Amino acid sequence: MPFPPEFLRELEERSPIEDIAGNYVRLRRSGKNLVGLCPFHSEKTPSFNVYPGNNSYYCFGCGKGGSVINFVMEAERLDFLDAVKWLAQRAGVQVPEDGVDDSMSKLRMRIMEINRESGRFFYNTLISPEGRAGLEYLMGRGLDPGTIRHFGLGYAPESGYGLVNHLRKKGYRPEELTQSDMARVSQRGNLYDRYRGRVMFPIFDLRGNVVAFGGRILTDEKPKYINTSDTPVYHKSSGLFALNFAKNTGSRQLILAEGYMDVIALHRAGFKNAIASLGTSLTEEQARIIKRYADEAVICYDSDQAGRKATGRAIPILKAAGLRVKVVTVPGGKDPDEFMKNYGKDGPERFRQLLEKGGTDVEYRLQQLREQFSLETDEGRVRYLNEAAGTVLVSISDPMEQDVYAGRLSEETGVDKRSILETVGRLLGRERRKEERKLRRSQMNLNLPGPGQQGPRREGSIKAEVAQKGLIAYLFMHQEAAGAIGKRCPPEKFITPEYRRVYNAILGRMIQDTVTMAGIGEILTAQEASVLSGILAKAQDAPPNERDVREYLRVLEEAARKEGSEEWSKTASPDAVKEYLEDLRKKKT
């Protein structure tokens, strides 16, 4: 049966590939990904790669790959349905019954419409006499009309029934309004607005659809902010404010701020790669989404005690997702919004300097520890070193980086660097033995399948093959371009049947919704899922750009015209392939 997209999305978010595969394979971090010995064929050199960014895996040895569901299918010898049930039971997610998909899809569409109409209502209220309090608040915070329009800000009237009445006139049913969380039901059974007397911040998905709202009260009433609860179109654990804008900056760095106004202030100052985690502690799902669009996350939370705690919680989550982490502390206990106001026109340049001087997550963690102990006493130095070795240095996987920070600790405390590193070594050995015991227990009854088939046979010209793979990779990484690419290149222009089917499958789904590896795996064979995973794996280090896409489209159009005639070469030499790829790289620069 077809599963609802939101179910597969939630299942994937609750089933990190590194956790699942880590029960079968001993993985070690390699940059932003993880590697290990493939569980599906015999090998001595690790060629099995896990990609937390898109929750997939691929073995460069045997060619097997796919989503976390495909991994369970291979490892446990299950079909797709049973693998989904296996993961759902592990994650505590209920598997939907037959017939749910159609009704749920219709409900999601209606809720999207309700959210869009609500956003218009809030904005129109803001610029009307009824919204004067909200507009004065936003203008008082330094926002201009262009910024207000850009972020779609609005105001929820205090009456408590304005939005409900507006939406009911538009034909939306009471149950749809409550399921969208735009309305609640009183004890007397009457509908009333969820948001009243609040400045409204719409939350957009990556396609620009309004999926949720945050509302700030203008009085001293608590809570100051309320946010949309989980709905069929929105999950708080994966929502990120302004990512729809930040992902288009071309930067592989994202600044993670604490609140809506901080993000807006940073965008106005030119730092359009700023996002926020919507008033909740950063989650693993949010970190994995950030990893799709960035290699480095810069934490810029408030520098008060609560902000420090939030930073300490966020660092390991971001690191586990494969991100480099920097921490920027705004001086004087201020947040980015206040910082920009205080420095006026000099604010952007001063903040840029903070970004450049921002320390790594290791430096930040050591600084936080240093403040807890007196290095003037022997006891203070010993306690500081024990904490630093046991909580910070042991978390560093790179020996050279570990050596550098051990040297810094040695200079600070006067303790020999070798003693510090020996302590770290003992602690790591203890952890390693624990992991090995856990691994042996998990593998004790495991029946691993033998090696599978190799990757797909190369067909057609090498140029066309590179173009097909490149177009699939770009499409998966830039799903908002699906409509435009589909018009330029319908599936019929793909000359390799296997690539054509993969392209057709992801293109059809992307036009309707965001595609994930798990979601698309439902309509791909295991071999096709491996093909897709392999294409994405090989595009990691040099992802295709828009200029590449123009070249790919030209090549495929030419191949379609020349189909049946003499092609470049079906058996091109490695040197010919290398020459063609080098030519593509030159066109990028």
Side-chain angles (χ1 to χ4, degrees):
M1 68 174 182
F3 288 105
E6 62 275 5
F7 164 72
L8 291 176
R9 191 177 297 118
E10 181 180 4
L11 182 66
E12 188 173 32
E13 288 172 353
R14 295 195 185 188
S15 307
I17 183 70
E18 59 270 31
D19 289 355
I20 303 299
N23 290 323
Y24 301 82
V25 186
R26 182 169 183 176
L27 299 169
R28 61 175 177 81
R29 189 157 292 281
S30 176
K32 56 190 177 181
N33 305 315
L34 299 103
V35 298
L37 295 173
C38 182
F40 307 130
H41 82 285
S42 178
E43 63 176 5
K44 294 182 179 179
T45 303
S47 57
F48 178 81
N49 287 254
V50 167
Y51 303 98
N54 59 20
N55 223 32
S56 71
Y57 72 98
Y58 184 73
C59 176
F60 286 88
C62 67
K64 288 188 180 295
S67 70
V68 66
I69 298 175
N70 294 113
F71 182 88
V72 172
M73 290 170 66
E74 288 284 350
E76 296 290 335
R77 296 184 181 274
L78 301 173
D79 61 18
F80 187 88
L81 176 60
D82 287 334
V84 166
K85 291 179 178 179
W86 189 95
L87 284 169
Q89 183 176 10
R90 177 188 178 277
V93 179
Q94 185 174 358
V95 178
E97 299 176 359
D98 290 333
V100 170
D101 190 26
D102 184 55
S103 60
M104 183 60 74
S105 295
K106 290 178 181 177
L107 176 61
R108 292 180 77 246
M109 186 178 299
R110 293 285 283 179
I111 290 176
M112 287 286 200
E113 293 171 358
I114 287 170
N115 288 342
R116 183 171 62 249
E117 191 61 43
S118 297
R120 290 173 180 160
F121 174 84
F122 291 142
Y123 176 78
N124 290 331
T125 301
L126 179 71
I127 59 176
S128 73
E130 193 175 9
R132 181 178 178 181
L135 188 60
E136 287 181 349
Y137 169 80
L138 293 174
M139 301 293 273
R141 296 291 297 265
L143 271 60
D144 57 86
T147 300
I148 291 172
R149 282 194 303 273
H150 179 70
F151 285 94
L153 308 185
Y155 183 72
E158 295 184 14
S159 67
Y161 299 98
L163 178 63
V164 164
N165 293 337
H166 175 78
L167 292 173
R168 295 193 73 169
K169 287 178 183 177
K170 293 284 183 178
Y172 297 104
R173 299 188 299 274
E175 60 270 23
E176 293 173 334
L177 301 184
T178 56
Q179 286 173 307
S180 71
D181 202 34
M182 297 310 299
R184 296 286 174 90
V185 180
S186 70
Q187 291 182 346
R188 295 184 177 181
N190 298 317
L191 278 179
Y192 64 90
D193 293 348
R194 168 85 195 281
Y195 300 94
R196 291 167 288 173
R198 292 178 181 267
V199 169
M200 300 301 295
F201 299 84
I203 299 160
F204 298 89
D205 66 12
L206 296 177
R207 294 175 174 273
N209 299 308
V210 181
V211 292
F213 291 90
R216 188 198 192 281
I217 197 73
L218 300 183
T219 65
D220 294 331
E221 182 183 335
K222 300 295 181 182
K224 182 188 291 186
Y225 283 94
I226 60 173
N227 300 286
T228 300
S229 300
D230 283 0
T231 72
V233 302
Y234 174 69
H235 300 284
K236 288 185 292 185
S237 61
S238 59
L240 289 161
F241 180 66
L243 183 60
N244 57 309
F245 300 126
K247 71 179 179 63
N248 297 323
T249 61
S251 171
R252 292 295 295 175
Q253 178 196 73
L254 288 174
I255 301 172
L256 186 60
E258 200 165 314
Y260 303 111
M261 293 305 298
D262 291 332
V263 169
I264 293 173
L266 287 170
H267 277 241
R268 294 185 70 227
F271 303 95
K272 299 184 184 299
N273 57 332
I275 60 174
S277 54
L278 301 172
T280 59
S281 297
L282 187 74
T283 67
E284 293 178 0
E285 292 91 337
Q286 288 168 328
R288 285 197 294 274
I289 292 170
I290 290 171
K291 184 65 188 70
R292 295 177 196 167
Y293 301 97
D295 299 316
E296 181 176 81
V298 180
I299 302 175
C300 187
Y301 288 163
D302 295 358
S303 49
D304 57 14
Q305 189 61 31
R308 290 184 178 192
K309 287 183 178 179
T311 299
R313 289 192 297 267
I315 287 173
I317 294 173
L318 293 167
K319 296 279 284 185
L323 287 148
R324 295 191 306 273
V325 180
K326 287 178 65 175
V327 181
V328 168
T329 302
V330 179
K334 297 177 174 61
D335 56 40
D337 182 34
E338 190 176 356
F339 180 86
M340 293 300 176
K341 285 188 178 67
N342 287 349
Y343 287 105
K345 65 179 182 179
D346 295 330
E349 181 55 34
R350 285 179 176 268
F351 189 80
R352 196 176 306 280
Q353 292 173 7
L354 288 179
L355 280 178
E356 292 172 355
K357 295 176 182 177
T360 65
D361 63 288
V362 176
E363 291 168 334
Y364 176 82
R365 292 162 70 193
L366 289 175
Q367 177 192 338
Q368 297 300 302
L369 281 177
R370 194 179 303 119
E371 293 176 0
Q372 299 176 30
F373 305 101
S374 171
L375 302 189
E376 302 298 319
T377 66
D378 291 342
E379 180 186 5
R381 286 195 294 275
V382 169
R383 292 178 63 193
Y384 171 52
L385 285 171
N386 281 330
E387 285 290 326
T391 62
V392 181
L393 294 193
V394 294
S395 68
I396 302 174
S397 57
D398 185 346
M400 289 177 58
E401 185 182 3
Q402 198 177 79
D403 190 88
V404 168
Y405 287 109
R408 291 192 188 181
L409 287 171
S410 175
E411 293 174 4
E412 281 183 329
T413 62
V415 174
D416 186 71
K417 182 173 76 171
R418 286 174 296 182
S419 298
I420 297 172
L421 288 172
E422 286 173 3
T423 300
V424 174
R426 285 196 300 272
L427 292 171
L428 285 172
R430 190 182 305 164
E431 287 299 315
R432 194 175 298 117
R433 288 190 291 274
K434 286 182 181 178
E435 290 178 6
E436 288 172 352
R437 287 196 294 270
K438 180 180 178 182
L439 184 64
R440 283 196 296 270
R441 285 196 299 270
S442 66
Q443 290 183 330
M444 193 173 296
N445 298 317
L446 183 64
N447 181 23
L448 295 176
Q453 294 179 324
Q454 295 294 318
R457 181 173 63 88
R458 295 164 66 88
E459 296 186 26
S461 76
I462 298 300
K463 285 186 177 181
E465 180 169 352
V466 171
Q468 290 172 110
K469 290 180 178 179
L471 204 54
I472 288 172
Y474 183 87
L475 188 60
F476 203 92
M477 296 173 182
H478 301 271
Q479 300 192 20
E480 69 280 0
I485 290 177
K487 290 179 181 177
R488 287 285 311 276
C489 183
E492 295 75 31
K493 289 190 177 181
F494 270 56
I495 63 173
T496 307
E498 199 155 34
Y499 297 154
R500 184 190 306 130
R501 174 161 164 72
V502 171
Y503 176 75
N504 187 43
I506 64 175
L507 183 65
R509 285 289 178 96
M510 283 175 187
I511 291 174
Q512 302 172 24
D513 200 355
T514 302
V515 166
T516 64
M517 286 296 295
I520 202 65
E522 188 176 18
I523 57 175
L524 296 179
T525 66
Q527 181 64 18
E528 289 162 349
S530 295
V531 168
L532 175 59
S533 184
I535 289 171
L536 297 178
K538 292 166 187 174
Q540 286 257 327
D541 294 331
N545 59 31
E546 290 182 11
R547 277 178 288 180
D548 293 332
V549 169
R550 288 195 289 271
E551 174 67 6
Y552 298 150
L553 292 171
R554 186 194 66 77
V555 167
L556 290 179
E557 286 170 1
E558 183 179 326
R561 286 196 302 269
K562 293 183 178 180
E563 188 172 2
S565 65
E566 182 178 354
E567 298 176 338
W568 181 43
S569 175
K570 291 187 179 182
T571 57
S573 68
D575 288 340
V577 178
K578 183 178 179 181
E579 182 180 349
Y580 174 65
L581 293 174
E582 184 62 32
D583 182 56
L584 269 183
R585 279 192 287 271
K586 287 179 180 177
K587 290 179 181 179
K588 287 187 182 183
T589 59

